[in-house]
Amino acid sequence: NAGVMQNPRHLVRRRGQEARLRCSPMKGHSHVYWYRQLPEEGLKFMVYLQKENIIDESGMPKERFSAEFPKEGPSILRIQQVVRGDSAAYFCASSLRVGHEQYFGPGTRLTVT
Amino acid sequence: ILNVEQSPQSLHVQEGDSTNFTCSFPSSNFYALHWYRWETAKSPEALFVMTLNGDEKKKGRISATLNTKEGYSYLYIKGSQPEDSATYLCAWGGGGADGLTFGKGTHLIIQP
């Protein structure tokens, strides 16, 4: 099954630590999207990347959050100096082209203690 | 603020009955409307992507319609089965952003 892979599935970090979330898109997909689901909220768009480029980061918090999608390897969502409010489920999706169906991974549930 | 609203928030339906629910979205700067099915502990699963006003798509017992002029889409499920129990999400693509704006979903429970 060449679906979207995310790891880890669960991540616990203490306040002030760094969190790194990984996403491997479906085979052949070069468009990657990150979404966040806060408790009791819907999915919120964070960032859209193509290989080696950030195309749209309009949903990313201005500080502590960054994303990359290198030429080789998975896309990484990095959260520095995590705070309790960062606790959420982070989903990655990939698509063949912009505007096409987005295929979602299983998500990474981040808990900040 | 670009809001995507779904109603009802939750719905209980008897097995075998048909049902439908609504997604409303901004009608300006429209690009695409997506429907997803999300079962607990699984990933959201793409059902439909619709782009043209008047579009109607069908997959088995599930179908969807789109009205971009007035900004709404309906999802229909014919002859509901227990395996249809899930949260159904709609997502609007538009407004110049490349990511999707999701509604909070309609939580559907099919009662045997």
Side-chain angles (χ1 to χ4, degrees), chain B:
Chain B
I1 295 174
L2 302 170
N3 280 332
V4 176
E5 303 287 343
Q6 290 190 248
S7 64
Q9 198 171 19
S10 65
L11 190 54
H12 288 70
V13 173
Q14 209 64 33
E15 182 177 354
D17 287 352
S18 296
T19 187
N20 65 83
F21 28 92
T22 310
C23 171
S24 62
F25 52 87
S27 54
S28 58
N29 295 321
F30 174 86
Y31 183 78
L33 194 284
H34 298 231
W35 279 100
Y36 288 85
R37 181 171 175 276
W38 196 359
E39 288 183 74
T40 304
K42 294 188 178 179
S43 314
E45 173 197 348
L47 289 174
F48 306 113
V49 179
M50 295 186 287
T51 56
L52 298 176
N53 186 44
D55 250 357
E56 184 168 340
K57 297 221 170 172
K58 190 175 180 183
K59 187 185 282 191
R61 294 180 291 99
I62 304 177
S63 60
T65 60
L66 179 68
N67 183 322
T68 60
K69 292 188 190 309
E70 295 180 43
Y72 65 84
S73 174
Y74 292 127
L75 190 81
Y76 300 90
I77 302 177
K78 189 176 176 183
S80 304
Q81 299 298 310
E83 59 265 28
D84 296 329
S85 296
T87 297
Y88 290 82
L89 300 172
C90 75
W92 173 73
D98 293 303
L100 298 173
T101 302
F102 279 83
K104 291 189 177 180
T106 291
H107 183 50
L108 177 66
I109 298 168
I110 307 301
Q111 296 168 321

Side-chain angles (χ1 to χ4, degrees), chain A residues 4 9 33 35 37 40-45 48 55-56 58 91 98-107 109, chain B residues 31-32 34 36 38 41-49 51 59 89 96-105:
Chain A
V4 178
R9 295 289 304 275
Y33 311 80
Y35 295 87
Q37 185 186 30
E40 309 301 321
E41 296 285 327
L43 288 166
K44 300 279 191 228
F45 167 71
Y48 159 49
I55 307 300
D56 181 352
S58 57
F91 289 89
V98 172
H100 280 220
E101 289 163 325
Q102 294 183 18
Y103 294 85
F104 279 78
R109 275 148 185 84
Chain B
Y31 183 78
H34 298 231
Y36 288 85
W38 196 359
K42 294 188 178 179
S43 314
E45 173 197 348
L47 289 174
F48 306 113
V49 179
T51 56
K59 187 185 282 191
L89 300 172
D98 293 303
L100 298 173
T101 302
F102 279 83
K104 291 189 177 180

Side-chain angles (χ1 to χ4, degrees), chain A residues 30-34 45-57 60 66-76 98, chain B residues 98:
Chain A
S30 59
H31 301 260
V32 166
Y33 311 80
W34 285 92
F45 167 71
M46 297 181 77
V47 62
Y48 159 49
L49 310 101
Q50 288 184 40
K51 279 289 184 181
E52 299 185 271
N53 291 304
I54 296 173
I55 307 300
D56 181 352
E57 54 182 349
M60 285 277 268
S66 62
E68 62 178 18
F69 189 14
K71 190 175 179 182
E72 302 290 336
S75 175
I76 307 283
V98 172
Chain B
D98 293 303

Side-chain angles (χ1 to χ4, degrees), chain A residues 14-16 23-24 30 47 52-53 56 58 61 74 86-87 90 93-94 98 106:
Chain A
R14 290 185 181 160
R15 276 181 299 170
C23 169
S24 297
S30 59
V47 62
E52 299 185 271
N53 291 304
D56 181 352
S58 57
D86 297 332
S87 294
Y90 292 83
S94 72
V98 172

